[in-house]
Each structure stands twice: as structure tokens, then as C-alpha cells.
Amino acid sequence: MKPPTRLFIFDADNTLRRTTVPGKPCPHGPGEWELLPGVRERLGAVRWGGEGAWLGVASNQDQVAYGHLTAAMAQRLLADMVRAAVGEIAPAPCIRFCPHALEVPCACRKPAPGMLLEIMAHFGVAPAETLFVGDAPTDAEAARAAGVGFVWAWDFFGWGL
Ligand SMILES: [Mg+2]
Ligand SMILES: [Zn+2]
């Protein structure tokens, strides 16, 4: 029998949040994003912490490398997003992002599994107990490379097709 999910990891852009500024792939500052429909409701139904599940975020933020926002701002915006989605939960969510330029090889940018592996190590959770939710083929590929289950964001949040 498949063990219950102890760790949910989410992609950020177009999975939990969307940019409200046309032409920007991700927000560069506060007030440039909103939660996607159903996110607060769906995540509000999950029992977090303790005997429940833990939460991680794995996001490619190459806009940092191109100088559109600082790493500190990227971190802050992702933390704001998680707080808007689930409020304060314990243990604290584990947020990881890849700040590298697309032309720079690195171990963290999805489809590499680096961030997913780091988040699992952070919580001490096995791949079989972990689920990754994302909207891009690179998300699905990262999940496969990390050996964790994958669900498309529209299926997880019930957006339909
Ligand atoms: Mg995405
Ligand atoms: Zn990277």
C-alpha cells in the first residue's frame, strides 16, 4: 500500500500564484501577484504539521540572475505566497528557489531534482511519502528524477481543463 503523503512540495508560478503584471513571468515585487483560484481552499483542507503533512516550495527564479529582483525579494515573495495560502504552520515551510541564469548549468534548476532532494532531506521524508505539484513539463521531469509522485496543478486544485 502506498504510504500517506507526509510532504507536499509545490511549484510557485502558475501553480500557487500568478503574476498580475502583464508580460512578467513572475512577480518582481509585492502587489504583483495573486493566489490562483482554489489554492487557499484546497490547502486549507490539508492537516499540516504534527501527525499531518509538511510543506515545501521549489521554484525556478532565474529573474534573480538577470537582476529583475534580489534573492531576498524572491524569498520574501515566496514566503508571502505560502503565508497567504496556508497562514502560519509548524514546522515552517521549506522554501527553495533556483536563482541561476538559464545559461548557467546548476543542480537546482528544474528539471534537475536538486531542490526536491534538499526539501526531502530538510524534513527527513522519503520520496515515497512526497508529492510534487506543478504546472510545467520540467516540474514533472524533476519529480521523476527525484523519485517522487507528481500531480498537475489543475488536477490538484480542480481547475478543470
Ligand atoms: Mg510553474
Ligand atoms: Zn540553480
Side-chain angles (χ1 to χ4, degrees):
M1 203 181 99
K2 194 186 177 312
T5 299
R6 293 302 317 274
L7 172 58
F8 291 96
I9 305 176
F10 297 93
D11 165 56
D13 294 301
N14 299 316
T15 293
L16 295 184
R17 71 181 179 188
R18 66 184 162 203
T19 310
T20 53
V21 181
K24 284 191 187 175
C26 71
H28 296 163
E32 296 190 356
W33 63 277
E34 63 189 7
L35 287 180
L36 281 158
V39 164
R40 193 181 286 112
E41 293 76 7
R42 176 70 178 83
L43 295 188
V46 176
R47 188 166 162 225
W48 299 106
E51 297 304 303
W54 297 317
L55 195 160
V57 172
S59 173
N60 287 356
Q61 291 291 315
D62 52 80
Q63 300 274 295
V64 171
Y66 302 119
H68 294 300
L69 72 170
T70 62
M73 179 57 77
Q75 171 75 35
R76 181 235 157 128
L77 294 175
L78 292 169
D80 287 352
M81 172 193 74
V82 170
R83 201 172 305 114
V86 296
E88 301 290 343
I89 59 173
C94 181
I95 296 172
R96 291 286 182 276
F97 62 91
C98 167
H100 304 115
L102 295 173
E103 58 273 19
V104 177
C106 70
C108 42
R109 184 175 52 252
K110 300 171 288 186
M115 293 190 285
L116 303 184
L117 298 176
E118 265 190 45
I119 294 167
M120 285 190 284
H122 173 86
F123 288 115
V125 172
E129 301 172 303
T130 301
L131 187 70
F132 185 43
V133 180
D135 73 300
T138 46
D139 293 322
E141 214 178 306
R144 194 160 47 241
V148 310
F150 179 78
V151 177
W152 293 107
W154 43 88
D155 290 330
F156 191 83
F157 293 112
W159 300 328
L161 289 174

